[in-house]
Amino acid sequence: ELLPYLRGGESWESYSFYRRRVNPRVGLGGSYSLRRASAVDAPERLTFHVSRGAVEYQLSPFWTVNAGFGFDYIPATILTPAQSAPGWSVGADWSARSQRFHVGYQRMFVPSFGYGGALQNRELNVSFYSPLFRSRRLYTEQSFALRDNDPLIEAPGRLRLRTMRINSRVGWAPQPWIRLEGFYSRAQQTTFLAAGGIGRNRIGVQIVTSRPVRVQ
């Protein structure tokens, strides 16, 4: 029998956005997403409404910064009251000669597929992509993420969780639709309690395929 915080779950989400270029440097827009989620054997199914207004500014030919601010809302269920909070994000992107760098921070509601319910999520993420040896077929990608999750409703077994993830990949793309990658990943989690930490390392090789489909 699985432990109550290892139940898993399911969700679906729809997302729509609008962007308009005001001038060569400034873009404005907004987005809205609707998500339905529930944990296995959970008596409630949560609905997440996420709305954002967004602004994008091009600092230079290489650097672009963006920010979004809005509102997160979860309607009441038979077990939990309605939840709401401001949600926001900031980010910066750099690109030059097929190299890409991204750093961003966001705060939003997300579902919990462990004990059920919802979490207040705060996440910092950094990533870098670069070709290797000036080749269009060889590349490397590095990423780092630090995430804090706080339960919206306090209850037994619902604990704060901090997760750190490091991912490193080196790949070869003989064709645009197929890639062969060697990877290493490290995940470290803690509940801020004594003996509440766990770590996992993964190393291996994977084949990634994708084929774009055009609908007319």
Side-chain angles (χ1 to χ4, degrees):
E1 182 180 358
L2 291 176
L3 296 174
Y5 46 84
L6 295 175
R7 292 183 295 180
E10 62 178 11
S11 71
W12 64 264
E13 180 178 13
S14 64
Y15 178 80
S16 58
F17 71 94
Y18 172 78
R19 292 289 187 273
R20 179 178 178 84
R21 183 63 59 180
V22 179
N23 58 49
R25 287 184 176 267
V26 179
L28 299 176
S31 65
Y32 170 77
S33 70
L34 172 66
R35 174 186 285 174
R36 296 271 289 172
S38 65
V40 174
D41 297 328
E44 60 182 354
R45 189 176 186 89
L46 298 179
T47 302
F48 296 75
H49 299 274
V50 179
S51 59
R52 296 286 186 272
V55 58
E56 180 180 283
Y57 184 76
Q58 186 170 349
L59 294 173
S60 72
F62 307 108
W63 281 98
T64 302
V65 295
N66 60 80
F69 185 82
F71 192 72
D72 292 0
Y73 176 68
I74 304 176
T77 69
I78 58 174
L79 298 179
T80 60
Q83 304 286 330
S84 62
W88 53 274
S89 64
V90 293
D93 295 274
W94 173 88
S95 63
R97 300 183 302 275
S98 300
Q99 294 180 318
R100 300 189 298 270
F101 171 79
H102 168 79
V103 58
Y105 182 86
Q106 64 176 341
R107 169 178 167 162
M108 63 186 301
F109 287 164
V110 296
S112 167
F113 296 131
Y115 50 70
L119 303 166
Q120 177 69 262
N121 178 71
R122 300 181 301 278
E123 181 175 345
L124 169 70
N125 55 82
V126 182
S127 63
F128 176 72
Y129 172 92
S130 176
L132 291 175
F133 312 113
R134 299 184 179 181
S135 171
R136 292 186 298 176
R137 299 181 184 273
L138 295 173
Y139 62 91
T140 182
E141 186 170 6
Q142 317 296 322
S143 64
F144 169 84
L146 181 63
R147 180 183 302 163
D148 281 346
N149 293 142
D150 296 328
L152 295 185
I153 297 178
E154 295 185 2
R158 299 192 175 191
L159 303 173
R160 293 176 58 204
L161 180 65
R162 171 168 291 175
T163 305
M164 181 188 71
R165 294 183 180 274
I166 299 173
N167 293 284
S168 177
R169 296 188 296 170
V170 175
W172 174 57
Q175 297 292 335
W177 56 272
I178 186 168
R179 306 190 304 272
L180 176 64
E181 297 179 338
F183 68 89
Y184 167 76
S185 66
R186 167 73 178 175
Q188 183 75 38
Q189 292 185 320
T190 178
T191 59
F192 299 96
L193 298 177
I198 187 172
R200 183 182 70 172
N201 295 286
R202 296 178 63 237
I203 186 169
V205 177
Q206 61 186 11
I207 298 175
V208 182
T209 63
S210 64
R211 174 72 76 175
V213 177
R214 177 177 297 178
V215 178
Q216 295 180 336

